Amino acid sequence: MIFIQLNVTNKKEEPLLARTIVTATLEFEKATPSYAEVTSLLATSLKSDEKLVAIRHIYNSFGDKKAEVIAYVYSDEAKKQLIEPKIKEKAAKAEKK
């Protein structure tokens, strides 16, 4: 089992965009955790659905087993779909060739 600890350091409400900016510190043993791992950790920590969490940045220091995470937690999925940038799929690029 890999040890990962997440501590929420700051929360700021953004009512116009129906989201909360969350800043957290992340401590880990091996490599920097993936966005999917951090999303699930943050969702369980904030008692929210994983579909409503969007990780904006994971800033880590070279050689240090710590990172700073900036994420958005949306109030509903429709707002997230409207605001968040769309993820381009690799399959769509392959079809165009």
Side-chain angles (χ1 to χ4, degrees):
M1 170 105 185
I2 298 173
F3 171 75
I4 303 173
Q5 183 177 357
L6 184 90
N7 298 322
V8 176
T9 56
N10 194 9
K11 284 185 190 181
K12 182 181 176 191
E13 290 287 329
E14 288 189 338
L16 287 176
L17 296 173
R19 69 183 181 193
T20 304
I21 297 179
V22 177
T23 308
T25 56
L26 185 67
E27 295 181 23
F28 47 90
E29 282 183 345
K30 304 274 183 185
T32 306
S34 68
Y35 275 53
E37 290 175 315
V38 175
T39 301
S40 65
L41 274 171
L42 201 57
T44 54
S45 173
L46 297 172
K47 297 177 181 72
S48 143
D49 189 13
E50 286 186 31
K51 293 178 184 176
L52 301 177
V53 177
I55 304 295
R56 182 58 47 218
H57 295 286
I58 299 177
Y59 298 110
N60 60 339
S61 303
F62 180 76
D64 201 8
K65 301 294 183 188
K66 293 181 182 178
E68 184 175 339
V69 178
I70 299 174
Y72 297 133
V73 180
Y74 287 89
S75 61
D76 64 341
E77 197 167 349
K79 285 284 188 182
K80 181 182 176 191
Q81 297 298 327
L82 183 69
I83 297 170
E84 283 298 308
K86 307 294 181 271
I87 298 172
K88 295 181 180 176
E89 305 240 352
K90 291 181 182 179
K93 289 182 183 178
E95 278 182 18
K96 290 182 181 179
K97 290 183 179 180

